[in-house]
Amino acid sequence: MASKFQETSHFERDSPPGSIHGAGGDAPARNSDDGSSVDHVQEKPAAAVPLTKRQKVKRHCGRFKWWYLGVGLIILIILLPLIFTKIIPAITQDIVNSQKLPIKTGVLQVVSPTQLYVTLETELDTPLAATLDPATLFVYNKDTADYSPFINITLPKIHANHKTPVTVTNQTVSVTNHTELVKWFDRIFDQPETDLTVKGKATVRLGALHMQSNIDKTIKISSLNGLDGFSIASLRLIYPAMEDGTNIKGTLNLPNAGIITLGLGNLTFDLFSGDIKLGYIDIYDVTLPHGNNTRAFTGQLYLNELVPNLGAILDSQSKALADGNIQLRTTGNATRVNGVRIPYIEEVLNNKNLIATVPVIKLVSDVISSFSGNNVSLSELLGDTVGNSTFIEGLLGHWNSTSTNTNGTALPMKLGRSTPHGSRTIKAPATKSLLKMGLKLALAKL
């Protein structure tokens, strides 16, 4: 009986449980579908929220930060020396090379045979702020095979930031190569544009950094262009001559097409007609800024030698006289500052020929006015018809003159007819006659 009871009790475990109050048989049975549904919801995991790119990068860096730090240190150890010794100096040198250094204006003033005063205005244009320590620039001719600077200029300390003016004021420089300076001044005189080539080293400071940069620059500057436009504006005879022999005075135009003002001291020029020396003129305290420059002169005309050489003088003027002009050739003789001669200027000017073309009418008028006591023109002295065909035809029809050949023999010559009535062109025979008349009037007063 006991065993049966135990077996029955064993199988009763599968029967529905009773209530806690012992009324197990009355409790409703739980639906099996509801139980399985509840178990399924509780076991399903929640959906993960996706990371943003920034979060991914942050997580990645966090995982590998020590690797990156080590690689970064290695790169810095390699690159820092390159940055400070190669890259920054190369950038600085490139900025220096890009500087045009245009010459805005300047002055070259002769002081002595071995010195000059120099004033220059230029500018720097830098993309960033920088400081340049004082630097010496050596000026040389780049086409000379051997590097041979002839002067040097010291730049002041410069704080550059974008466009920055740079001025060298009244700096005394020494001539270090006479031959090369003469060569450069010769180009200043002859050419419309001249090279100014400089070389040197500059210390450039960018904050606490500083590095050396090389300067090697050729700058174009406008120059004298052969004193194109040189002319004698007026010429007067002085009677009686002064004690030192001075017997002429006048004004001339010395044009400077360049931007550099030249201070050349006292200049002496010889006057020639062809190859015959007529005299000389002195021009004092010659300073030539840009543009036309009217300068007074005094001098001596060799009147005692003028008449014996009159035939040769007129022959040398035949082409100019055909156009009613006379040409005077001037060439340098001496250059002095404070009574001391300046060889590097003389060697340039003494090899140059400056041609001044003067109308014969003006020249004769100036000669006659020298003795009239006032500025009377030739037309006032000879009447209202001077210079036109009526006067010239009368002159050619009634005035016989002589021409002197090279051996001094006087040959009779009948002056030819002039151009048709109404023409104002004065031909060679008429201009020779006018020139002779003016000279005779002047010499008669001496």
Side-chain angles (χ1 to χ4, degrees), residues 318-331:
S318 58
K319 291 184 179 180
L321 287 171
D323 295 324
N325 299 317
I326 185 171
Q327 285 187 342
L328 297 177
R329 178 170 63 90
T330 65
T331 186

Side-chain angles (χ1 to χ4, degrees), residues 272-276 278 306-323 325-327 401-411 413 428-429 431-433 435-436 439:
F272 291 87
S273 177
D275 294 328
I276 300 172
L278 303 178
L306 193 61
V307 175
N309 293 295
L310 188 57
I313 291 172
L314 292 176
D315 287 342
S316 68
Q317 296 290 335
S318 58
K319 291 184 179 180
L321 287 171
D323 295 324
N325 299 317
I326 185 171
Q327 285 187 342
S401 64
T402 60
S403 175
T404 305
N405 60 17
T406 55
N407 59 12
T409 305
L411 299 176
M413 180 183 68
T431 53
K432 287 184 179 180
S433 299
L435 184 59
K436 286 182 179 179
L439 292 173

Side-chain angles (χ1 to χ4, degrees), residues 40 91 264 292 297 317 369 407 429 436:
H40 176 71
I91 294 172
L264 303 177
N292 290 320
F297 69 83
Q317 296 290 335
S369 297
N407 59 12
K436 286 182 179 179

